[in-house]
């Protein structure tokens, strides 16, 4: 199955470089490009796209607002944010807006390709450790929380699902969670799927953001049992 990718960046040279890398992949195709958020939204209305590589700092409409509008659609493509800075408040805002992850622009090609495949499959957060560092940094911007999570929806989770959610939020992969809880990887994947369904979340990045917002996980990595 070919992954249909859209490149959104105001730097033509950067788009050209990404296009060359993606064109060499048998399972990827660049189907659209745009130089700003407004153009991206217009192109998406007429083009079927699976994954959008989205710059954050662009004229007319930045990547954060463009991501918010894209993710509000009925069946949106996955959005992967490209940022120049590792700890960027724009990237944090984009995750809140619905992006499935973010990568640095100078990421090695192999990691970028793996990230696109990962986001497309919905199986993994892109660079969970980086996502966690970002959330640790900007956790003070989140609503203040008491010791117990205030988000009523978390009450729908079983005790085991809460355990799995905390470990997902701490950046562990399914394999690492399986080893930690002495479960099979398939069982962990089932738990993650149920968490997404019960909480109405699209992917693991949203699990991480919600865990921080509700206080299930605190900045610095501690989880409430």
């Amino acid at each position: 199955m070919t992954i249909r990718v859209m490149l959104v960046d105001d730097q033509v040279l950067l788009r050209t470089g990404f296009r060359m890398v993606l064109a060499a992949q048998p399972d990827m195709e660049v189907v659209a490009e745009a130089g700003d958020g407004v153009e991206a939204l217009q192109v998406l209305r007429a083009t079927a796209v699976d994954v959008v590589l989205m710059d954050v700092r662009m004229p007319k409409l930045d990547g954060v607002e463009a991501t918010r509008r894209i993710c509000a659609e009925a069946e949106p493509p996955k959005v992967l944010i490209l940022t120049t800075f590792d700890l960027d408040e724009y990237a944090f805002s984009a995750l809140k807006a619905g992006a499935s992850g973010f990568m640095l622009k100078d990421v090695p090609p192999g990691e970028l390709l793996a990230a696109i495949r990962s986001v497309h499959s919905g199986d993994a957060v892109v660079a969970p450790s980086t996502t966690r560092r970002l959330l640790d940094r900007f956790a003070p911007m989140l609503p203040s929380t008491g010791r117990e999570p205030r988000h009523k929806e978390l009450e729908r989770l079983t005790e085991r699902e809460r355990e799995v959610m905390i470990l997902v939020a701490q950046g562990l992969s399914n394999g690492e969670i399986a080893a930690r809880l002495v479960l099979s990887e398939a069982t962990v994947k089932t738990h993650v799927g149920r968490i997404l369904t019960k909480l109405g979340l699209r992917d693991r990045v949203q699990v991480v953001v919600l865990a921080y917002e509700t206080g299930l996980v605190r900045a610095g990595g501690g989880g409430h049992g």
Side-chain angles (χ1 to χ4, degrees):
M1 179 184 176
T2 301
I3 303 172
R4 298 164 297 189
V5 180
M6 179 180 188
L7 305 176
V8 184
D9 197 297
D10 58 338
Q11 298 179 49
V12 177
L13 265 177
L14 205 72
R15 295 206 310 266
T16 302
F18 283 139
R19 191 190 322 120
M20 289 172 65
V21 171
L22 270 56
Q25 302 305 304
D27 61 338
M28 294 184 193
E29 180 185 4
V30 176
V31 295
E33 295 185 34
D36 61 66
V38 172
E39 186 184 356
L41 293 170
Q42 292 171 343
V43 172
L44 277 171
R45 291 191 190 103
T47 311
V49 173
D50 298 311
V51 177
V52 178
L53 292 186
M54 177 77 75
D55 185 22
V56 280
R57 305 184 187 200
M58 296 181 294
K60 297 184 182 177
L61 188 69
D62 66 40
V64 175
E65 183 58 30
T67 296
R68 186 175 290 111
R69 296 187 193 182
I70 288 169
C71 293
E73 296 293 324
E75 292 186 14
K78 298 291 177 68
V79 178
L80 180 56
I81 294 293
L82 294 170
T83 178
T84 311
F85 307 104
D86 194 353
L87 290 173
D88 187 338
E89 69 274 16
Y90 286 90
F92 174 79
S93 299
L95 291 180
K96 292 267 294 176
S100 293
F102 76 100
M103 301 292 290
L104 298 180
K105 285 188 177 181
D106 60 357
V107 65
E111 287 186 31
L112 176 67
L113 297 170
I116 292 171
R117 293 184 181 105
S118 174
V119 164
H120 180 248
S121 71
D123 278 346
V125 173
V126 176
S129 59
T130 310
T131 301
R132 271 211 49 217
R133 268 206 316 284
L134 187 78
L135 287 166
D136 279 351
R137 164 80 181 271
F138 292 105
M141 297 166 54
L142 297 171
S144 59
T145 57
R147 285 200 55 79
E148 285 304 308
R150 297 173 298 121
H151 201 290
K152 282 288 184 187
E153 291 178 6
L154 292 183
E155 295 174 5
R156 300 176 188 169
L157 302 181
T158 65
E159 196 58 40
R160 176 64 88 188
E161 287 164 354
R162 283 168 68 96
E163 279 185 285
V164 171
M165 182 172 176
I166 288 169
L167 295 176
V168 168
Q170 290 175 349
L172 275 65
S173 68
N174 284 354
E176 291 166 337
I177 295 171
R180 179 79 64 91
L181 299 180
V182 197
L183 300 169
S184 73
E185 200 165 333
T187 299
V188 172
K189 192 168 183 178
T190 299
H191 282 312
V192 172
R194 285 180 182 153
I195 291 165
L196 295 176
T197 301
K198 286 183 178 182
L199 301 181
L201 305 175
R202 271 202 319 279
D203 54 39
R204 294 167 75 109
V205 168
Q206 292 194 330
V207 172
V208 177
V209 172
L210 181 64
Y212 274 76
E213 285 184 320
T214 58
L216 190 63
V217 168
R218 293 187 300 269
H224 293 307

